[in-house]
């Protein structure tokens, strides 16, 4: 099956991301339920999906805002989680390099874990994929993400009494699942233990605000990982 | 909040795209950046467990077990919610 000239462009990117879009849809629905609980409207969440387009940072920011953390702490937590995107776009910087500025900007905005990984995998198999492939996958992912999150918010509005149903625990369970998916092996143990200990210590012993200890704990854990030689 | 998060996130993505090779892919800084998401999420779980009683701890342990076994976000959420609901109803 010899590929057509356009086969590694926009359509191929969208097609390859399709199996992953199912997972994105379910994740988006779950996020929508959480966002509704934190007091966000379908419109706000739809706009957020388009302009932010970074799932786990949206979850953390929405949860923090819902818990009364204030704008600065919520934004800080979300952005800290997104710093890794710097490494992701930097690792494929050649894709944006020969494009006009608006195409480079659009491509960068649409870069997420899924289409980035697919691009690297396709290149590893010798396919000449580039900007079109990245943007095709990203566009389908964004449409799926926004549709599912808005649907989740709308559904949640029909639910009675979130706390009585145990919905307040949904965030904790969601973060546990995300943590497990981010576990890379034993080298994570010490940084993670440091993060958790800093949060407990800071809040319990020093009486520091939990919303800020979250950031301090995360950054100190990451610093431990960075300073270790075996990391 | 949404506008600030959007602007910051775009700045991060675009900086990576434009600075490219100038961004270290190894060494302490890269290791710290790679480890940061996991550490933040763990810190977040820690903050949500600050005021946890034994019911929350039990439901959390159950959800963690499901997360490790299935690596599935909705399944973990469903088990966590069901567990906390059952524990609060019965006990």
């Amino acid at each position: 099956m010899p590929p057509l000239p356009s086969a590694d462009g926009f359509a191929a990117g969208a097609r390859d991301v399709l199996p992953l879009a199912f997972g994105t849809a379910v994740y988006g629905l779950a996020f929508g339920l959480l966002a509704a609980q934190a007091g966000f409207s379908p419109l706000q969440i739809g706009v957020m999906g388009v302009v932010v387009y970074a799932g786990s940072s949206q979850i953390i920011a929405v949860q923090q805002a819902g818990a009364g953390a204030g704008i600065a702490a919520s934004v800080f937590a979300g952005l800290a989680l997104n710093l890794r995107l710097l490494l992701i776009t930097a690792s494929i910087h050649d894709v944006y390099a020969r494009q006009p500025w608006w195409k480079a900007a659009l491509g960068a905005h649409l870069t997420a874990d899924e289409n980035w990984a697919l691009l690297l995998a396709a290149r590893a198999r010798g396919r000449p994929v580039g900007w079109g492939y990245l943007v095709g996958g990203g566009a389908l992912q964004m449409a799926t993400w926004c549709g599912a999150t808005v649907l989740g918010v709308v559904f949640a509005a029909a639910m009675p009494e979130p706390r009585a149903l145990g919905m307040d625990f949904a965030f904790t369970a969601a973060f546990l699942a995300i943590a497990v998916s981010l576990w890379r092996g034993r080298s994570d143990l010490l940084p993670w233990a440091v993060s958790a200990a800093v949060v407990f210590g800071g809040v319990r012993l020093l009486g520091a605000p939990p919303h800020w200890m979250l950031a301090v704990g995360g950054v100190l854990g990451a610093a431990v990982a960075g300073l270790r030689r075996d990391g | 909040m949404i506008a600030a998060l959007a602007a910051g996130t775009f700045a991060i993505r675009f900086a990576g795209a434009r600075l490219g090779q100038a961004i270290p892919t190894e060494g302490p800084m890269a290791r710290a950046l790679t480890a940061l998401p996991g550490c933040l999420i763990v810190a977040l779980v820690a903050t949500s467990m600050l005021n946890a009683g034994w019911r929350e701890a039990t439901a959390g342990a159950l959800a963690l077990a499901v997360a490790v076994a299935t690596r599935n976000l909705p399944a973990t959420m469903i088990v966590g919610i069901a567990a906390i609901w059952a524990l609060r109803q019965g006990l």
Side-chain angles (χ1 to χ4, degrees):
Chain A
M1 193 173 79
L4 297 166
S6 65
D8 281 319
F10 191 89
R15 189 187 58 223
D16 285 359
V17 92
L18 206 54
L20 302 176
F22 181 74
T24 304
V26 180
Y27 188 65
L29 272 176
F31 168 65
L33 295 172
L34 298 174
Q37 220 191 292
F40 286 80
S41 74
L43 179 66
Q44 284 175 313
I45 291 306
V47 169
M48 191 187 202
V50 174
V51 299
V52 178
Y53 185 54
S56 47
S57 77
Q58 288 179 241
I59 296 190
I60 202 170
V62 157
Q63 187 268 352
Q64 290 289 294
I71 290 177
S74 306
V75 170
F76 186 90
L79 287 184
L81 205 59
N82 280 341
L83 276 176
R84 76 183 203 297
L85 291 173
L86 189 67
L87 297 178
I88 285 187
T89 52
S91 70
I92 54 169
H93 63 92
D94 61 293
V95 170
Y96 321 99
R98 287 175 305 279
Q99 304 293 342
W101 71 269
W102 67 270
K103 278 184 142 186
L106 180 67
H109 182 58
L110 286 172
T111 304
D113 297 311
E114 292 85 0
N115 55 345
W116 168 74
L118 284 171
L119 180 96
L120 293 181
R123 282 185 162 181
R125 286 196 302 272
R127 289 168 65 187
V129 294
W131 187 86
Y133 184 86
L134 188 74
V135 168
L140 183 72
Q141 276 285 96
M142 179 184 274
T144 309
W145 173 246
C146 292
T149 52
V150 169
L151 215 56
V153 183
V154 173
F155 273 146
M159 278 189 174
E161 276 299 304
R163 198 184 144 78
L165 289 171
M167 284 297 289
D168 57 307
F169 199 71
F171 270 115
T172 305
F175 290 128
L176 278 168
I178 296 172
V180 168
S181 73
L182 291 173
W183 173 259
R184 293 168 303 156
R186 285 188 50 138
S187 63
D188 281 331
L189 192 60
L190 182 65
W192 287 21
V194 167
S195 293
V198 167
V199 170
F200 269 94
V203 177
R204 285 274 163 79
L205 304 178
L206 307 175
H211 303 305
W212 286 108
M213 286 320 291
L214 158 71
V216 175
V219 169
L220 285 182
V224 168
L227 292 173
R228 264 197 327 181
R229 294 186 171 279
D230 61 345
Chain B
M1 191 277 272
I2 293 172
L5 186 60
T9 303
F10 178 75
I12 291 169
R13 279 186 169 119
F14 200 57
R18 281 288 126 136
L19 300 177
Q21 283 150 328
I23 292 176
T25 51
E26 49 191 36
M29 203 58 206
R31 281 203 298 274
L33 277 180
T34 313
L36 187 57
C39 289
L40 273 172
I41 296 294
V42 167
L44 193 63
V45 172
T47 54
S48 76
M49 284 291 180
L50 277 169
N51 301 309
W54 68 269
R55 292 184 184 89
E56 284 76 15
T58 308
L62 269 172
L64 180 62
V66 172
V68 171
T70 66
R71 307 235 151 200
N72 185 307
L73 178 91
T76 306
M77 286 174 62
I78 289 166
V79 169
I81 294 166
I84 200 69
W85 180 81
L87 287 163
R88 283 178 187 159
Q89 291 294 308
L91 301 148

